Amino acid sequence: FRIPPGAHLARPALAPQPRTRGAQVYARPPSNTRTVMSCVSAAGAGRAVLAPRASAGSGRASRAVVRASGGSRGRVTARRARVVTRSVADEDLDAQAEEIFAQIQRLKEDNEKLKTDLSDAALEALRLAQEERDRANNPEPESKTKDMSYLGGASSKDAYLGMELPYLGEGDVRVGFSEYDKMSAARQRDAEARARKGAAAAAGTGVKPRPPPVFEKTEQPMSIVFVSSEVAPWSKTGGLADVCGALPRELVKRGHRVMVVSPYYQTGKKEDTLFQGAFDTCSNKMLECFGGLHEVGYMHQVKDGVDFVFVKHDSYERIGELYGDAEGGYGDNQFRFTLLSHAACEAPLVIDFGEGASANGFTGTYGDDVVFVANDWHAGLVPLLVASKYRPYGTYKNARTIAAIHNILHQGVEPHVTFGNLGVPGEWYSCLEYQFPEHMRAHELDLGLVVNILKGAIATSDRVLTVSEGYAREIITPLGGKGLEAMLETRVHRLDGVVNGIDMDEWNPSADEHIEAPFDVSDLSGKMECKRALQREMGLEVRDDVPLLGFIGRLDWQKGPDLIRDSIADMMNEDVQVIMLGSGLEELEQFMQWAESAYHDKFRGWVGFSVPMAHRITAGCDILLMPSRFEPCGLNQLYAMRYGTLPIAHATGGLNDTVVRHNPYAEDDPDIAVAAAVARDKDPNDRHGIQAEMADLGPGTGWLFNEMNVGSFMYCVSNACKLYHENPRMWRAMQIQAMSQDLSWYHAALKWEKVFEWAKIDPPHCEPVQHEQHWN
């Protein structure tokens, strides 16, 4: 408020005379009174502020200070001050409150007057802002005025006179906020720039897809017989079927003669119709095992130059799964796969592939000069039968056997009393005998004696091969050997590891019928369309700027989805979306359902399995999660890299062999990324020389964590998300390196072929004992 001319300062009658210094006035009231003082500072165009102070019974002086300041236009005005000091008794408090209220009202009136004293520049800014907001409310098609709307729904004048000054620099102020958050606006502009840059880069990377490898015929063709409990596409539960369905075709391209022996399943599923292309070879055979003779038939089908032979028997024809039902494994699995091993040993000898019946123009039987590949325990009796029943009698003298371990966790263990059912001579019992340690026995009287079919395969095969170099090193340790590490340690000089390849035709992003749009390394715009389609299908918000994480696999202890469960709270704190596909343990299935309800805007779970959905997740996600506790090879990470989806994986087994750790010091040059991929393909085990140096210069293809805990896992997730948000050029370079790798079976087939050659060069591991026949 302003002091009228001629007004005087009121003071209490009993108070001492105030001491005045310049524009400051001090009043000292008696100690037994309650003093209410007001200090008003008013000068020119300044603001008027009411500052009450009060004290009671303290004997301390209350002071009111009035200061004068210059006007907003630089004029110096006379100093004016007024201090109201009133000493009252307790009964006069109401009158004092009315006095203060009147002063407050006058201060409000002064504030209103100050609104008219704004600078010309501020008024101009407010006028433009008001006009811009009006145009926003009533848009005109031809309007080209620069947007300066920053005040939201309040009037420009009121918003300006609230707490903040108008922003007169570059950038936009967020609608609905009275303050300008410069950092958020800068991030928004950077995100928009990255989106524009990413959209432009998605139209073309400047990288040409690598041509498929050219197979050259080998100078030493061999006859090779794969024995497997499943083979794609006829029967499949995991990676074993993919290996036995794809690798033989690649070996045929090299000029080898290849046969695959597998059961003729009839499980009541649509896959049963695939067996209709097989015809009966009319080569039935009586096999002796399980205390009797059992007749089996052989069905034959040629595909891509491979002889697929299916063993026909009633035990393979039942409604359900391949190995068991909801209550567990079938009780006769030992019989079913003992029969398969016996039938496989007879197939090369008894099936006469007449002219036009066999692949690649071969005729007649395969004979006994073959290489058997016994996959997992289901075919584990093949090396033992060759060594015990055939080789001692002059058959299969030149044959060699390879025990291929795809998962050492499954060993084909049954009570030791079942040894007599296997059709193996009694003197070979020690090859199968196994005794569980005491802590794994059922009770104190249990000796823990069993027959272990996988142990028999390792003990009698000519060579042992696993599906990755890393897994070959792990299974000779107590942690990875699952009780067979001692046996494998004795065979380490004949133990090899070869990383699997993938079917480049089935997993081809440029010709995948299950995905929204085709794409390849030269044009990744289709991948973004696949991401948007996946988000729409799963009911997630369609956002290009958020990393989409996926998981595909069994919900069990080995695959590690429980680590995702334990990390879900931390993961949801990141700006991510997550999709999980799989089935298995009930508690993990329930977790997926709970997470979808708890984080409905960020998480989706699909309980079950769907091949088309697996393709769509692989193509649409930015990151694939593979937190497996152990992984002999793993195929999902290979599929993901083929589709430009970067994996985050536990550094174990084949995951450690196939995923190249992200190099934060690498350049984001696409040419360097391609060169690193090519160099690694030439010799991934070479750690010296130019090729190794070139491979290390690339940006990498994913992230690996060493410890199986939430901290290590989330460290990789956070780093991956940060790179996705902040460095799209490096992300694109990693995609280019991942997609430029040769993930086909070409290199794997050459390595398998080398193992076969080594087996043929070495003498048999189990030397035959000649049995003399005595004639009467």
Side-chain angles (χ1 to χ4, degrees), residues 139-379:
E140 298 179 4
E142 302 299 327
S143 177
K144 298 182 180 180
T145 305
K146 182 178 179 180
D147 183 12
M148 293 188 62
S149 176
Y150 54 85
L151 299 177
S155 70
S156 303
K157 197 172 184 179
D158 292 342
Y160 172 69
L161 294 172
M163 292 297 295
E164 302 295 333
L165 295 177
Y167 173 66
L168 304 178
E170 297 181 356
D172 298 329
V173 177
R174 296 176 297 173
V175 174
F177 287 80
S178 61
E179 66 180 65
Y180 175 73
D181 189 345
K182 188 172 183 180
M183 182 176 295
S184 297
R187 290 177 177 173
Q188 180 66 23
R189 291 196 301 271
D190 292 343
E192 293 174 356
R194 288 195 302 268
R196 292 192 297 269
K197 187 183 299 182
T205 63
V207 177
K208 295 182 179 179
R210 292 178 63 180
V214 178
F215 284 84
E216 298 180 357
K217 296 293 184 179
T218 180
E219 297 179 356
Q220 298 178 345
M222 292 176 280
S223 296
I224 305 168
V225 180
F226 285 81
V227 186
S228 174
S229 60
E230 56 185 80
V231 55
W234 293 273
S235 53
K236 177 180 177 179
T237 62
L240 171 61
D242 293 320
V243 173
C244 294
L247 177 58
R249 299 203 298 264
E250 305 303 315
L251 293 172
V252 166
K253 296 177 182 178
R254 290 280 292 163
H256 301 290
R257 188 182 188 188
V258 185
M259 177 197 303
V260 179
V261 181
S262 186
Y264 185 90
Y265 291 110
Q266 294 293 300
T267 60
K269 299 181 179 179
K270 63 180 181 180
E271 287 81 2
D272 295 349
T273 59
L274 298 175
F275 290 97
Q276 296 176 358
F279 64 91
D280 194 348
T281 62
C282 300
S283 304
N284 291 14
K285 184 69 177 179
M286 302 296 294
L287 305 175
E288 184 177 2
C289 62
F290 277 77
L293 295 176
H294 306 274
E295 184 179 8
V296 299
Y298 296 96
M299 310 294 289
H300 178 227
Q301 183 173 351
V302 178
K303 183 177 181 181
D304 295 332
V306 181
D307 293 312
F308 290 95
V309 174
F310 303 105
V311 179
K312 188 174 177 61
H313 189 268
D314 292 343
S315 62
Y316 305 127
E317 301 178 7
R318 62 182 61 167
I319 304 299
E321 303 298 330
L322 300 185
Y323 307 117
D325 51 24
E327 298 181 358
Y330 294 132
D332 62 344
N333 273 345
Q334 188 187 48
F335 166 74
R336 299 168 76 211
F337 298 115
T338 296
L339 201 64
L340 174 65
S341 297
H342 282 271
C345 290
E346 291 291 328
L349 304 176
V350 302
I351 301 178
D352 185 1
F353 298 96
E355 184 175 355
S358 182
N360 294 338
F362 293 104
T363 59
T365 64
Y366 271 64
D368 64 351
D369 188 5
V370 298
V371 176
F372 283 102
V373 181
N375 293 275
D376 278 346
W377 78 266
H378 312 91

Side-chain angles (χ1 to χ4, degrees), residues 59 137 150 240 250 304 326 372 442 476 507 638 679 691 715 742:
N137 295 332
Y150 54 85
L240 171 61
E250 305 303 315
D304 295 332
F372 283 102
I476 61 176
W507 295 92
L638 302 179
Q691 295 297 334
Y715 180 78
D742 184 3

